[in-house]
Amino acid sequence: MLPPLRDIPGTTLFDGVQAMKGYALNKMCYSFNSAANREEFKRDEDAYCARYGLTAEQRDAVRRRNVLALLAAGGNVYYLAKLAGILGLDVQDLGAQQTGTTKEAFKARLVAAGG
Amino acid sequence: MLPPLRDIPGTTLFDGVQAMKGYALNKMCYSFNSAANREEFKRDEDAYCARYGLTAEQRDAVRRRNVLALLAAGGNVYYLAKLAGILGLDVQDLGAQQTGTTKEAFKARLVAAGG
Amino acid sequence: MARIVGAITTSHIPAIGKAIARNLHEDPYWKPFFDGYPPVHRWLAQVQPDVAVVFYNDHGLNFFLDRMPTFAIGAAPEYRNADEGWGIPTVPPLPGDQPLSWHLIERLVGEEFDLTTCQEMLVDHALTIPMALLWPGSGAWPVRTVPICINTVQHPLPSAMRCYKLGQAVGRAIEAYPEDLRVVVIGTGGLSHQLDGERAGFINKAFDVEFMQRLAGDPLWAARYSIAELVELTGTQGIELLMWLAARGALGGEAATVHSNYHIPISNTAAGLMLMERRAA
Amino acid sequence: MARIVGAITTSHIPAIGKAIARNLHEDPYWKPFFDGYPPVHRWLAQVQPDVAVVFYNDHGLNFFLDRMPTFAIGAAPEYRNADEGWGIPTVPPLPGDQPLSWHLIERLVGEEFDLTTCQEMLVDHALTIPMALLWPGSGAWPVRTVPICINTVQHPLPSAMRCYKLGQAVGRAIEAYPEDLRVVVIGTGGLSHQLDGERAGFINKAFDVEFMQRLAGDPLWAARYSIAELVELTGTQGIELLMWLAARGALGGEAATVHSNYHIPISNTAAGLMLMERRAA
Ligand SMILES: [Fe+3]
Ligand SMILES: [Fe+3]
């Protein structure tokens, strides 16, 4: 495999290395395009995760609703967004959680970027 | 659309024109990768064809087990092969039917091509 | 012969869909964003395009990692959207233009673009939100659509230069189409934003502004960056500017900016809008 | 560094699967076909490849017209076959080589090949029959596999030259792989045959023979034909020789034929087999 071309702080490109790690998790999240599957996940999260063969690390990251851990376990942001939807988290919630700040502070940072 | 680049006798390239014509028929035939679907087709051919929205021309060609008519209706040989499997026709049966000869004569022609 | 009447590039942030549904156009948060669009509406009313060729990126609705195309093109009679996981409102089906799709496919494969062809295809907010922004209140869409999807999900992505060349080839193919059609080219996505990682919330106004200033007159300025450089400059999702480069490529030759708007933030994103026309420098 | 030990090209006719299952190797119909393979078995036993990179064409198992890739590449941990509509025997799963797959994907996308990447993928008889022919009686496959699928289902197909260039790029990418691997390149399909239309049963021995004679030393002779010309010369399914051109491209540089076999007919097809090695002219 090629080494990563460039190190970008706070950023992991979803390349082959991540894809190999995250397949089960991403496949589960892709299934959440269907409302029926989302309901099933909510009804019995353990059974649903088991059916998709999540690794222990992935299962734990889902349990903790921890976005950085989900990414580290190979999650792809495009599929994780569907899990976030189930959990009622919007992209500012996700941003605040990942940057270790409050939602209000995160939103203020976004506004400040326009200054 | 571009005109066909070249006229080859007895041959229709499966291009966009054919694809637009044949989508329902080809989608039905693709479903025959599953043994359960093949059984369902055998159980009630009319209902199965109706579910896939075959055109009258396609439905008629299926009913007549007529390969040239299936091709004219937009069928793609790779998917039609799965229908042929259900009907118990091998590629020599298909060749004989399309060339208007007997299976034995068709096979003899193949052997002769090696001569 | 078909003619490209212009190129429009616009953000496609999901939150816009909700703002449209709730009619928040005059809301102080949304007004600076929605105010960008009326000049484009007037232009569209004047040029009356028949077809929109839309470069967009799927966000995990139609494509999964089991079959992830670098470039996919629709060749369907119509395109529907669907639930993307958070119950997005569905829109009326977008009519396709199959003969034009197949013409483009013939030309592009002939020019060594290794397309994935989609005779059935769900389209996500990256296509439907720009359509709703450009033709608001459409019960029936006034244009036919040909969607072209560029992979931004799975690295390696196609290079910016490859996307620009794809656009150029699409432009040549449209101009070679024998029907008398007016075609508008659309690129959706961006501008700078990043949803994932400790760098979430990253926005780069300086880069976006330069990108927009240069896009019409000097598209190679951006097309020469590597994907990794562009992610560093614009964020992991800012890379959606690939769609803007493809649309600019399709416009071809010399071009000028007719209208533009830029506003920070909409959701986590720097929202951008441009309308470009062909024009001698 | 990885090294390409040679290229094998072979027909993949479904009937071969049944003949293997029924052990018809000495049957008069089958003997002239199966007798071609022992020299290749001896060669494989000697060179001991670690990985097979296989160019093949899907016949409507993994891909339908809703997502039809021009070029698709597997990046899965293993590959299974499945019922193709006529209850083909299943084979043990073929182990993949994901790190090599991703290396090839990075390189090829970097060289402007617009791949569809498949992290899960069913492989059909066009892959499993050649594997069974080359490694007979394998309960466990002695090689890892990277499948590369070329569209022969939906026209426009990639040109012969594009397939040859794809092969060349795959060859360069393999040789740039830092692991110490022996790689055999395989191309499956053909030779001349046509299943559909009034021309069904078409076989062109003269063309096939010239194609096989020239493939090692002068691959551009065939690569310069258009798809329509090749269909006319070899039949609608004879076009599967695109896989042979890709495999020859991957072998690179100068090459020589070490072994070959040609027999008419197996089923409706002119069956061909070649083993080529790199060699100065
Ligand atoms: Fe987006
Ligand atoms: Fe075949």
Side-chain angles (χ1 to χ4, degrees), chain B residues 78, chain D residues 12 57 59 125-126 189-190 193 237 240:
Chain B
Y78 290 93
Chain D
H12 63 219
N57 57 301
H59 297 66
H125 68 269
H193 65 303
Q237 281 73 50
E240 291 175 341

Side-chain angles (χ1 to χ4, degrees), chain D residues 59-123:
Chain D
H59 297 66
L61 175 65
N62 197 63
F63 297 110
F64 182 59
L65 303 173
D66 60 339
R67 284 151 223 231
M68 183 55 68
T70 295
F71 296 140
I73 179 167
E78 63 172 30
Y79 304 94
R80 292 171 182 271
N81 72 340
D83 189 351
E84 295 180 34
W86 8 276
I88 200 158
T90 54
V91 299
L94 297 137
D97 188 326
Q98 286 183 292
L100 178 58
S101 287
W102 284 110
H103 169 85
L104 295 180
I105 292 164
E106 289 281 355
R107 290 275 170 170
L108 290 165
V109 172
E111 289 199 35
E112 304 201 333
F113 290 89
D114 313 312
L115 303 180
T116 288
T117 56
C118 303
Q119 298 179 40
E120 210 171 331
M121 190 185 201
L122 291 173
V123 293

Side-chain angles (χ1 to χ4, degrees), chain A residues 30-72:
Chain A
Y30 182 66
S31 80
F32 296 146
N33 278 326
S34 140
N37 289 340
R38 298 200 292 275
E39 285 313 310
E40 219 173 307
F41 173 86
K42 283 192 242 176
R43 206 158 34 235
D44 188 346
E45 189 173 318
D46 265 325
Y48 204 89
C49 290
R51 190 195 317 163
Y52 279 87
L54 266 58
T55 64
E57 183 193 358
Q58 291 168 348
R59 180 68 194 94
D60 182 61
V62 172
R63 197 176 286 118
R64 288 162 48 215
R65 276 69 171 131
N66 185 305
V67 180
L68 292 176
L70 287 161
L71 292 168

Side-chain angles (χ1 to χ4, degrees), chain C residues 35-103:
Chain C
D35 277 357
Y37 289 85
V40 181
H41 298 155
R42 288 191 288 276
W43 181 84
L44 285 168
Q46 200 190 315
V47 300
Q48 295 273 352
D50 303 296
V51 180
V53 173
V54 187
F55 297 93
Y56 79 107
N57 57 300
D58 182 80
H59 297 64
L61 175 66
N62 196 63
F63 298 109
F64 183 58
L65 303 174
D66 60 340
R67 286 149 222 233
M68 183 55 68
T70 295
F71 296 140
I73 178 167
E78 62 172 31
Y79 304 94
R80 292 172 183 272
N81 72 339
D83 188 350
E84 294 179 36
W86 7 275
I88 200 159
T90 55
V91 298
L94 297 136
D97 187 327
Q98 286 183 293
L100 177 59
S101 286
W102 283 110
H103 169 84

Side-chain angles (χ1 to χ4, degrees), chain C residues 143-163:
Chain C
V143 290
R144 300 188 296 282
T145 297
V146 176
I148 301 177
C149 181
I150 298 180
N151 166 37
T152 61
V153 171
Q154 174 69 64
H155 288 256
L157 312 186
S159 70
M161 194 60 86
R162 182 66 173 167
C163 294

